[in-house]
PDB file of all heavy atoms in Angstrom:
ATOM      1  N   VAL A   1      -7.609   0.649  -3.346  1.00 96.00           N
ATOM      2  CA  VAL A   1      -6.394   1.418  -3.085  1.00 96.00           C
ATOM      3  C   VAL A   1      -5.238   0.484  -3.426  1.00 96.00           C
ATOM      4  O   VAL A   1      -5.211  -0.658  -2.974  1.00 96.00           O
ATOM      5  CB  VAL A   1      -6.314   1.861  -1.615  1.00 96.00           C
ATOM      6  CG1 VAL A   1      -4.988   2.529  -1.326  1.00 96.00           C
ATOM      7  CG2 VAL A   1      -7.472   2.781  -1.273  1.00 96.00           C
ATOM      8  N   ALA A   2      -4.314   0.956  -4.257  1.00 97.00           N
ATOM      9  CA  ALA A   2      -3.221   0.085  -4.701  1.00 97.00           C
ATOM     10  C   ALA A   2      -1.903   0.847  -4.694  1.00 97.00           C
ATOM     11  O   ALA A   2      -1.864   2.068  -4.857  1.00 97.00           O
ATOM     12  CB  ALA A   2      -3.513  -0.429  -6.111  1.00 97.00           C
ATOM     13  N   PHE A   3      -0.815   0.091  -4.512  1.00 98.00           N
ATOM     14  CA  PHE A   3       0.522   0.666  -4.457  1.00 98.00           C
ATOM     15  C   PHE A   3       1.406  -0.062  -5.461  1.00 98.00           C
ATOM     16  O   PHE A   3       1.354  -1.284  -5.577  1.00 98.00           O
ATOM     17  CB  PHE A   3       1.097   0.540  -3.046  1.00 98.00           C
ATOM     18  CG  PHE A   3       0.238   1.225  -2.023  1.00 98.00           C
ATOM     19  CD1 PHE A   3      -0.751   0.526  -1.352  1.00 98.00           C
ATOM     20  CD2 PHE A   3       0.392   2.576  -1.755  1.00 98.00           C
ATOM     21  CE1 PHE A   3      -1.570   1.155  -0.431  1.00 98.00           C
ATOM     22  CE2 PHE A   3      -0.424   3.215  -0.840  1.00 98.00           C
ATOM     23  CZ  PHE A   3      -1.407   2.502  -0.177  1.00 98.00           C
ATOM     24  N   SER A   4       2.213   0.723  -6.159  1.00 97.00           N
ATOM     25  CA  SER A   4       3.094   0.133  -7.173  1.00 97.00           C
ATOM     26  C   SER A   4       4.469   0.771  -7.101  1.00 97.00           C
ATOM     27  O   SER A   4       4.639   1.864  -6.573  1.00 97.00           O
ATOM     28  CB  SER A   4       2.501   0.329  -8.567  1.00 97.00           C
ATOM     29  OG  SER A   4       2.411   1.707  -8.874  1.00 97.00           O
ATOM     30  N   VAL A   5       5.445   0.061  -7.644  1.00 97.00           N
ATOM     31  CA  VAL A   5       6.800   0.566  -7.785  1.00 97.00           C
ATOM     32  C   VAL A   5       7.133   0.478  -9.268  1.00 97.00           C
ATOM     33  O   VAL A   5       7.083  -0.602  -9.853  1.00 97.00           O
ATOM     34  CB  VAL A   5       7.809  -0.188  -6.893  1.00 97.00           C
ATOM     35  CG1 VAL A   5       7.783  -1.689  -7.111  1.00 97.00           C
ATOM     36  CG2 VAL A   5       9.215   0.357  -7.087  1.00 97.00           C
ATOM     37  N   ARG A   6       7.382   1.635  -9.867  1.00 95.00           N
ATOM     38  CA  ARG A   6       7.648   1.729 -11.302  1.00 95.00           C
ATOM     39  C   ARG A   6       6.599   0.975 -12.125  1.00 95.00           C
ATOM     40  O   ARG A   6       6.912   0.229 -13.040  1.00 95.00           O
ATOM     41  CB  ARG A   6       9.040   1.244 -11.633  1.00 95.00           C
ATOM     42  CG  ARG A   6      10.116   2.185 -11.105  1.00 95.00           C
ATOM     43  CD  ARG A   6      11.415   1.984 -11.797  1.00 95.00           C
ATOM     44  NE  ARG A   6      12.441   2.796 -11.165  1.00 95.00           N
ATOM     45  CZ  ARG A   6      13.726   2.554 -11.276  1.00 95.00           C
ATOM     46  NH1 ARG A   6      14.158   1.551 -11.997  1.00 95.00           N
ATOM     47  NH2 ARG A   6      14.595   3.336 -10.679  1.00 95.00           N
ATOM     48  N   GLY A   7       5.338   1.184 -11.751  1.00 96.00           N
ATOM     49  CA  GLY A   7       4.233   0.625 -12.507  1.00 96.00           C
ATOM     50  C   GLY A   7       3.892  -0.825 -12.201  1.00 96.00           C
ATOM     51  O   GLY A   7       2.953  -1.367 -12.768  1.00 96.00           O
ATOM     52  N   ARG A   8       4.621  -1.452 -11.301  1.00 97.00           N
ATOM     53  CA  ARG A   8       4.351  -2.853 -10.951  1.00 97.00           C
ATOM     54  C   ARG A   8       3.689  -2.908  -9.581  1.00 97.00           C
ATOM     55  O   ARG A   8       4.308  -2.580  -8.572  1.00 97.00           O
ATOM     56  CB  ARG A   8       5.643  -3.660 -10.948  1.00 97.00           C
ATOM     57  CG  ARG A   8       6.298  -3.678 -12.332  1.00 97.00           C
ATOM     58  CD  ARG A   8       7.474  -4.569 -12.389  1.00 97.00           C
ATOM     59  NE  ARG A   8       6.993  -5.953 -12.331  1.00 97.00           N
ATOM     60  CZ  ARG A   8       7.766  -6.994 -12.074  1.00 97.00           C
ATOM     61  NH1 ARG A   8       9.049  -6.818 -11.849  1.00 97.00           N
ATOM     62  NH2 ARG A   8       7.273  -8.205 -12.034  1.00 97.00           N
ATOM     63  N   GLY A   9       2.434  -3.331  -9.551  1.00 97.00           N
ATOM     64  CA  GLY A   9       1.684  -3.398  -8.307  1.00 97.00           C
ATOM     65  C   GLY A   9       2.265  -4.418  -7.355  1.00 97.00           C
ATOM     66  O   GLY A   9       2.680  -5.504  -7.763  1.00 97.00           O
ATOM     67  N   PHE A  10       2.290  -4.066  -6.074  1.00 98.00           N
ATOM     68  CA  PHE A  10       2.784  -5.009  -5.067  1.00 98.00           C
ATOM     69  C   PHE A  10       1.873  -5.097  -3.848  1.00 98.00           C
ATOM     70  O   PHE A  10       1.972  -6.042  -3.075  1.00 98.00           O
ATOM     71  CB  PHE A  10       4.225  -4.693  -4.645  1.00 98.00           C
ATOM     72  CG  PHE A  10       4.393  -3.412  -3.863  1.00 98.00           C
ATOM     73  CD1 PHE A  10       4.399  -3.406  -2.485  1.00 98.00           C
ATOM     74  CD2 PHE A  10       4.558  -2.211  -4.528  1.00 98.00           C
ATOM     75  CE1 PHE A  10       4.559  -2.237  -1.773  1.00 98.00           C
ATOM     76  CE2 PHE A  10       4.718  -1.031  -3.833  1.00 98.00           C
ATOM     77  CZ  PHE A  10       4.720  -1.036  -2.435  1.00 98.00           C
ATOM     78  N   ALA A  11       0.969  -4.145  -3.661  1.00 98.00           N
ATOM     79  CA  ALA A  11       0.055  -4.186  -2.522  1.00 98.00           C
ATOM     80  C   ALA A  11      -1.236  -3.473  -2.881  1.00 98.00           C
ATOM     81  O   ALA A  11      -1.223  -2.481  -3.619  1.00 98.00           O
ATOM     82  CB  ALA A  11       0.694  -3.523  -1.299  1.00 98.00           C
ATOM     83  N   SER A  12      -2.341  -3.984  -2.353  1.00 97.00           N
ATOM     84  CA  SER A  12      -3.631  -3.326  -2.547  1.00 97.00           C
ATOM     85  C   SER A  12      -4.545  -3.710  -1.394  1.00 97.00           C
ATOM     86  O   SER A  12      -4.252  -4.626  -0.625  1.00 97.00           O
ATOM     87  CB  SER A  12      -4.257  -3.728  -3.889  1.00 97.00           C
ATOM     88  OG  SER A  12      -4.470  -5.124  -3.942  1.00 97.00           O
ATOM     89  N   VAL A  13      -5.651  -2.976  -1.276  1.00 97.00           N
ATOM     90  CA  VAL A  13      -6.637  -3.248  -0.232  1.00 97.00           C
ATOM     91  C   VAL A  13      -7.994  -3.372  -0.894  1.00 97.00           C
ATOM     92  O   VAL A  13      -8.427  -2.474  -1.615  1.00 97.00           O
ATOM     93  CB  VAL A  13      -6.683  -2.127   0.825  1.00 97.00           C
ATOM     94  CG1 VAL A  13      -7.713  -2.431   1.890  1.00 97.00           C
ATOM     95  CG2 VAL A  13      -5.335  -1.922   1.456  1.00 97.00           C
ATOM     96  N   THR A  14      -8.668  -4.493  -0.651  1.00 96.00           N
ATOM     97  CA  THR A  14     -10.001  -4.707  -1.211  1.00 96.00           C
ATOM     98  C   THR A  14     -11.004  -3.842  -0.464  1.00 96.00           C
ATOM     99  O   THR A  14     -10.728  -3.355   0.639  1.00 96.00           O
ATOM    100  CB  THR A  14     -10.421  -6.185  -1.107  1.00 96.00           C
ATOM    101  OG1 THR A  14     -10.517  -6.534   0.276  1.00 96.00           O
ATOM    102  CG2 THR A  14      -9.433  -7.096  -1.816  1.00 96.00           C
ATOM    103  N   LYS A  15     -12.184  -3.690  -1.046  1.00 94.00           N
ATOM    104  CA  LYS A  15     -13.215  -2.878  -0.407  1.00 94.00           C
ATOM    105  C   LYS A  15     -13.676  -3.478   0.914  1.00 94.00           C
ATOM    106  O   LYS A  15     -14.161  -2.764   1.780  1.00 94.00           O
ATOM    107  CB  LYS A  15     -14.389  -2.688  -1.355  1.00 94.00           C
ATOM    108  CG  LYS A  15     -14.015  -1.802  -2.526  1.00 94.00           C
ATOM    109  CD  LYS A  15     -15.168  -1.517  -3.430  1.00 94.00           C
ATOM    110  CE  LYS A  15     -14.654  -0.650  -4.566  1.00 94.00           C
ATOM    111  NZ  LYS A  15     -15.678  -0.179  -5.438  1.00 94.00           N
ATOM    112  N   ASP A  16     -13.509  -4.802   1.083  1.00 94.00           N
ATOM    113  CA  ASP A  16     -13.900  -5.422   2.349  1.00 94.00           C
ATOM    114  C   ASP A  16     -12.749  -5.471   3.361  1.00 94.00           C
ATOM    115  O   ASP A  16     -12.827  -6.165   4.373  1.00 94.00           O
ATOM    116  CB  ASP A  16     -14.506  -6.809   2.136  1.00 94.00           C
ATOM    117  CG  ASP A  16     -13.527  -7.824   1.573  1.00 94.00           C
ATOM    118  OD1 ASP A  16     -12.420  -7.429   1.152  1.00 94.00           O
ATOM    119  OD2 ASP A  16     -13.867  -9.023   1.549  1.00 94.00           O
ATOM    120  N   GLY A  17     -11.657  -4.731   3.113  1.00 95.00           N
ATOM    121  CA  GLY A  17     -10.594  -4.566   4.097  1.00 95.00           C
ATOM    122  C   GLY A  17      -9.538  -5.658   4.135  1.00 95.00           C
ATOM    123  O   GLY A  17      -8.906  -5.881   5.157  1.00 95.00           O
ATOM    124  N   ARG A  18      -9.308  -6.324   3.017  1.00 97.00           N
ATOM    125  CA  ARG A  18      -8.251  -7.342   2.952  1.00 97.00           C
ATOM    126  C   ARG A  18      -7.054  -6.753   2.203  1.00 97.00           C
ATOM    127  O   ARG A  18      -7.205  -6.182   1.139  1.00 97.00           O
ATOM    128  CB  ARG A  18      -8.732  -8.589   2.224  1.00 97.00           C
ATOM    129  CG  ARG A  18      -9.824  -9.320   2.957  1.00 97.00           C
ATOM    130  CD  ARG A  18     -10.298 -10.521   2.133  1.00 97.00           C
ATOM    131  NE  ARG A  18     -11.331 -11.234   2.826  1.00 97.00           N
ATOM    132  CZ  ARG A  18     -11.113 -12.237   3.662  1.00 97.00           C
ATOM    133  NH1 ARG A  18      -9.891 -12.646   3.907  1.00 97.00           N
ATOM    134  NH2 ARG A  18     -12.107 -12.839   4.258  1.00 97.00           N
ATOM    135  N   VAL A  19      -5.877  -6.930   2.783  1.00 98.00           N
ATOM    136  CA  VAL A  19      -4.665  -6.487   2.113  1.00 98.00           C
ATOM    137  C   VAL A  19      -4.186  -7.628   1.231  1.00 98.00           C
ATOM    138  O   VAL A  19      -4.187  -8.794   1.635  1.00 98.00           O
ATOM    139  CB  VAL A  19      -3.572  -6.028   3.105  1.00 98.00           C
ATOM    140  CG1 VAL A  19      -3.119  -7.145   4.003  1.00 98.00           C
ATOM    141  CG2 VAL A  19      -2.385  -5.436   2.372  1.00 98.00           C
ATOM    142  N   GLN A  20      -3.823  -7.285   0.005  1.00 98.00           N
ATOM    143  CA  GLN A  20      -3.316  -8.252  -0.965  1.00 98.00           C
ATOM    144  C   GLN A  20      -1.881  -7.889  -1.288  1.00 98.00           C
ATOM    145  O   GLN A  20      -1.595  -6.743  -1.637  1.00 98.00           O
ATOM    146  CB  GLN A  20      -4.159  -8.230  -2.244  1.00 98.00           C
ATOM    147  CG  GLN A  20      -5.602  -8.517  -2.017  1.00 98.00           C
ATOM    148  CD  GLN A  20      -6.415  -8.576  -3.295  1.00 98.00           C
ATOM    149  OE1 GLN A  20      -7.224  -9.458  -3.433  1.00 98.00           O
ATOM    150  NE2 GLN A  20      -6.206  -7.664  -4.222  1.00 98.00           N
ATOM    151  N   LEU A  21      -0.984  -8.864  -1.158  1.00 98.00           N
ATOM    152  CA  LEU A  21       0.439  -8.616  -1.364  1.00 98.00           C
ATOM    153  C   LEU A  21       1.001  -9.614  -2.359  1.00 98.00           C
ATOM    154  O   LEU A  21       0.810 -10.824  -2.213  1.00 98.00           O
ATOM    155  CB  LEU A  21       1.186  -8.748  -0.032  1.00 98.00           C
ATOM    156  CG  LEU A  21       0.727  -7.773   1.052  1.00 98.00           C
ATOM    157  CD1 LEU A  21       1.105  -8.274   2.419  1.00 98.00           C
ATOM    158  CD2 LEU A  21       1.306  -6.407   0.789  1.00 98.00           C
ATOM    159  N   HIS A  22       1.694  -9.104  -3.374  1.00 97.00           N
ATOM    160  CA  HIS A  22       2.383  -9.973  -4.337  1.00 97.00           C
ATOM    161  C   HIS A  22       3.662 -10.451  -3.666  1.00 97.00           C
ATOM    162  O   HIS A  22       4.515  -9.641  -3.305  1.00 97.00           O
ATOM    163  CB  HIS A  22       2.729  -9.193  -5.610  1.00 97.00           C
ATOM    164  CG  HIS A  22       1.551  -8.941  -6.473  1.00 97.00           C
ATOM    165  ND1 HIS A  22       1.279  -9.699  -7.570  1.00 97.00           N
ATOM    166  CD2 HIS A  22       0.561  -8.021  -6.388  1.00 97.00           C
ATOM    167  CE1 HIS A  22       0.178  -9.265  -8.145  1.00 97.00           C
ATOM    168  NE2 HIS A  22      -0.280  -8.235  -7.442  1.00 97.00           N
ATOM    169  N   LEU A  23       3.778 -11.766  -3.489  1.00 97.00           N
ATOM    170  CA  LEU A  23       4.924 -12.327  -2.785  1.00 97.00           C
ATOM    171  C   LEU A  23       5.430 -13.573  -3.494  1.00 97.00           C
ATOM    172  O   LEU A  23       4.642 -14.306  -4.096  1.00 97.00           O
ATOM    173  CB  LEU A  23       4.534 -12.732  -1.354  1.00 97.00           C
ATOM    174  CG  LEU A  23       4.163 -11.622  -0.388  1.00 97.00           C
ATOM    175  CD1 LEU A  23       3.528 -12.201   0.867  1.00 97.00           C
ATOM    176  CD2 LEU A  23       5.392 -10.807  -0.032  1.00 97.00           C
ATOM    177  N   PRO A  24       6.725 -13.852  -3.383  1.00 96.00           N
ATOM    178  CA  PRO A  24       7.240 -15.127  -3.881  1.00 96.00           C
ATOM    179  C   PRO A  24       6.621 -16.276  -3.070  1.00 96.00           C
ATOM    180  O   PRO A  24       6.142 -16.075  -1.954  1.00 96.00           O
ATOM    181  CB  PRO A  24       8.747 -15.046  -3.635  1.00 96.00           C
ATOM    182  CG  PRO A  24       9.042 -13.646  -3.250  1.00 96.00           C
ATOM    183  CD  PRO A  24       7.764 -13.004  -2.818  1.00 96.00           C
ATOM    184  N   GLN A  25       6.667 -17.476  -3.630  1.00 95.00           N
ATOM    185  CA  GLN A  25       6.010 -18.620  -3.008  1.00 95.00           C
ATOM    186  C   GLN A  25       6.478 -18.888  -1.580  1.00 95.00           C
ATOM    187  O   GLN A  25       5.669 -19.127  -0.694  1.00 95.00           O
ATOM    188  CB  GLN A  25       6.191 -19.881  -3.869  1.00 95.00           C
ATOM    189  CG  GLN A  25       5.346 -21.044  -3.398  1.00 95.00           C
ATOM    190  CD  GLN A  25       3.847 -20.758  -3.439  1.00 95.00           C
ATOM    191  OE1 GLN A  25       3.339 -20.291  -4.454  1.00 95.00           O
ATOM    192  NE2 GLN A  25       3.144 -21.010  -2.346  1.00 95.00           N
ATOM    193  N   GLU A  26       7.797 -18.825  -1.321  1.00 95.00           N
ATOM    194  CA  GLU A  26       8.272 -19.114   0.032  1.00 95.00           C
ATOM    195  C   GLU A  26       7.779 -18.083   1.038  1.00 95.00           C
ATOM    196  O   GLU A  26       7.463 -18.422   2.186  1.00 95.00           O
ATOM    197  CB  GLU A  26       9.796 -19.277   0.096  1.00 95.00           C
ATOM    198  CG  GLU A  26      10.595 -18.039  -0.255  1.00 95.00           C
ATOM    199  CD  GLU A  26      10.934 -17.883  -1.739  1.00 95.00           C
ATOM    200  OE1 GLU A  26      10.514 -18.709  -2.557  1.00 95.00           O
ATOM    201  OE2 GLU A  26      11.636 -16.914  -2.057  1.00 95.00           O
ATOM    202  N   GLU A  27       7.682 -16.826   0.629  1.00 95.00           N
ATOM    203  CA  GLU A  27       7.148 -15.780   1.513  1.00 95.00           C
ATOM    204  C   GLU A  27       5.654 -15.999   1.741  1.00 95.00           C
ATOM    205  O   GLU A  27       5.146 -15.805   2.841  1.00 95.00           O
ATOM    206  CB  GLU A  27       7.378 -14.388   0.907  1.00 95.00           C
ATOM    207  CG  GLU A  27       8.827 -14.010   0.734  1.00 95.00           C
ATOM    208  CD  GLU A  27       9.446 -13.439   1.986  1.00 95.00           C
ATOM    209  OE1 GLU A  27       8.728 -13.197   2.973  1.00 95.00           O
ATOM    210  OE2 GLU A  27      10.668 -13.245   1.967  1.00 95.00           O
ATOM    211  N   THR A  28       4.948 -16.406   0.692  1.00 96.00           N
ATOM    212  CA  THR A  28       3.519 -16.691   0.809  1.00 96.00           C
ATOM    213  C   THR A  28       3.288 -17.841   1.773  1.00 96.00           C
ATOM    214  O   THR A  28       2.417 -17.769   2.648  1.00 96.00           O
ATOM    215  CB  THR A  28       2.920 -17.024  -0.576  1.00 96.00           C
ATOM    216  OG1 THR A  28       3.069 -15.887  -1.430  1.00 96.00           O
ATOM    217  CG2 THR A  28       1.446 -17.378  -0.469  1.00 96.00           C
ATOM    218  N   ASP A  29       4.078 -18.904   1.650  1.00 96.00           N
ATOM    219  CA  ASP A  29       3.938 -20.058   2.543  1.00 96.00           C
ATOM    220  C   ASP A  29       4.169 -19.659   3.992  1.00 96.00           C
ATOM    221  O   ASP A  29       3.417 -20.078   4.886  1.00 96.00           O
ATOM    222  CB  ASP A  29       4.913 -21.168   2.136  1.00 96.00           C
ATOM    223  CG  ASP A  29       4.573 -21.783   0.785  1.00 96.00           C
ATOM    224  OD1 ASP A  29       3.425 -21.619   0.316  1.00 96.00           O
ATOM    225  OD2 ASP A  29       5.472 -22.423   0.200  1.00 96.00           O
ATOM    226  N   ALA A  30       5.179 -18.849   4.237  1.00 96.00           N
ATOM    227  CA  ALA A  30       5.468 -18.398   5.605  1.00 96.00           C
ATOM    228  C   ALA A  30       4.329 -17.530   6.138  1.00 96.00           C
ATOM    229  O   ALA A  30       3.928 -17.667   7.301  1.00 96.00           O
ATOM    230  CB  ALA A  30       6.788 -17.635   5.642  1.00 96.00           C
ATOM    231  N   ALA A  31       3.794 -16.648   5.301  1.00 96.00           N
ATOM    232  CA  ALA A  31       2.692 -15.781   5.723  1.00 96.00           C
ATOM    233  C   ALA A  31       1.443 -16.603   6.023  1.00 96.00           C
ATOM    234  O   ALA A  31       0.740 -16.339   7.004  1.00 96.00           O
ATOM    235  CB  ALA A  31       2.405 -14.741   4.644  1.00 96.00           C
ATOM    236  N   LEU A  32       1.174 -17.604   5.205  1.00 96.00           N
ATOM    237  CA  LEU A  32       0.014 -18.468   5.445  1.00 96.00           C
ATOM    238  C   LEU A  32       0.159 -19.232   6.756  1.00 96.00           C
ATOM    239  O   LEU A  32      -0.817 -19.401   7.495  1.00 96.00           O
ATOM    240  CB  LEU A  32      -0.170 -19.442   4.279  1.00 96.00           C
ATOM    241  CG  LEU A  32      -0.688 -18.820   2.982  1.00 96.00           C
ATOM    242  CD1 LEU A  32      -0.532 -19.794   1.823  1.00 96.00           C
ATOM    243  CD2 LEU A  32      -2.131 -18.379   3.137  1.00 96.00           C
ATOM    244  N   ALA A  33       1.365 -19.680   7.058  1.00 96.00           N
ATOM    245  CA  ALA A  33       1.605 -20.410   8.306  1.00 96.00           C
ATOM    246  C   ALA A  33       1.448 -19.501   9.517  1.00 96.00           C
ATOM    247  O   ALA A  33       0.958 -19.927  10.569  1.00 96.00           O
ATOM    248  CB  ALA A  33       3.004 -21.024   8.288  1.00 96.00           C
ATOM    249  N   ALA A  34       1.833 -18.232   9.389  1.00 95.00           N
ATOM    250  CA  ALA A  34       1.786 -17.288  10.503  1.00 95.00           C
ATOM    251  C   ALA A  34       0.412 -16.661  10.715  1.00 95.00           C
ATOM    252  O   ALA A  34       0.110 -16.174  11.805  1.00 95.00           O
ATOM    253  CB  ALA A  34       2.824 -16.191  10.301  1.00 95.00           C
ATOM    254  N   HIS A  35      -0.407 -16.649   9.682  1.00 96.00           N
ATOM    255  CA  HIS A  35      -1.703 -15.956   9.745  1.00 96.00           C
ATOM    256  C   HIS A  35      -2.820 -16.880   9.286  1.00 96.00           C
ATOM    257  O   HIS A  35      -3.095 -16.978   8.084  1.00 96.00           O
ATOM    258  CB  HIS A  35      -1.662 -14.684   8.903  1.00 96.00           C
ATOM    259  CG  HIS A  35      -0.574 -13.755   9.295  1.00 96.00           C
ATOM    260  ND1 HIS A  35      -0.641 -12.969  10.418  1.00 96.00           N
ATOM    261  CD2 HIS A  35       0.643 -13.525   8.752  1.00 96.00           C
ATOM    262  CE1 HIS A  35       0.485 -12.280  10.536  1.00 96.00           C
ATOM    263  NE2 HIS A  35       1.277 -12.604   9.549  1.00 96.00           N
ATOM    264  N   PRO A  36      -3.500 -17.529  10.224  1.00 95.00           N
ATOM    265  CA  PRO A  36      -4.515 -18.518   9.863  1.00 95.00           C
ATOM    266  C   PRO A  36      -5.699 -17.966   9.070  1.00 95.00           C
ATOM    267  O   PRO A  36      -6.361 -18.716   8.351  1.00 95.00           O
ATOM    268  CB  PRO A  36      -4.970 -19.081  11.207  1.00 95.00           C
ATOM    269  CG  PRO A  36      -4.372 -18.248  12.264  1.00 95.00           C
ATOM    270  CD  PRO A  36      -3.307 -17.419  11.651  1.00 95.00           C
ATOM    271  N   THR A  37      -5.964 -16.667   9.167  1.00 96.00           N
ATOM    272  CA  THR A  37      -7.081 -16.106   8.402  1.00 96.00           C
ATOM    273  C   THR A  37      -6.649 -15.678   7.009  1.00 96.00           C
ATOM    274  O   THR A  37      -7.471 -15.211   6.223  1.00 96.00           O
ATOM    275  CB  THR A  37      -7.711 -14.896   9.131  1.00 96.00           C
ATOM    276  OG1 THR A  37      -6.694 -13.907   9.333  1.00 96.00           O
ATOM    277  CG2 THR A  37      -8.316 -15.316  10.455  1.00 96.00           C
ATOM    278  N   GLY A  38      -5.368 -15.821   6.702  1.00 97.00           N
ATOM    279  CA  GLY A  38      -4.862 -15.480   5.377  1.00 97.00           C
ATOM    280  C   GLY A  38      -5.187 -16.563   4.374  1.00 97.00           C
ATOM    281  O   GLY A  38      -5.543 -17.690   4.727  1.00 97.00           O
ATOM    282  N   GLU A  39      -5.047 -16.195   3.116  1.00 97.00           N
ATOM    283  CA  GLU A  39      -5.291 -17.151   2.042  1.00 97.00           C
ATOM    284  C   GLU A  39      -4.377 -16.822   0.874  1.00 97.00           C
ATOM    285  O   GLU A  39      -3.921 -15.683   0.734  1.00 97.00           O
ATOM    286  CB  GLU A  39      -6.755 -17.119   1.604  1.00 97.00           C
ATOM    287  CG  GLU A  39      -7.207 -15.750   1.105  1.00 97.00           C
ATOM    288  CD  GLU A  39      -8.716 -15.650   0.885  1.00 97.00           C
ATOM    289  OE1 GLU A  39      -9.459 -16.409   1.531  1.00 97.00           O
ATOM    290  OE2 GLU A  39      -9.124 -14.812   0.082  1.00 97.00           O
TER     291      GLU A  39
END
């Protein structure tokens, strides 16, 4: 399952239930710090 804005994907869900989000590096770093099970 995937979501896009004007054809550019920004979020999806893998079959094993992981949400994948396209984020800038600083947002990714903050998300990794806040969510230990994230990668």
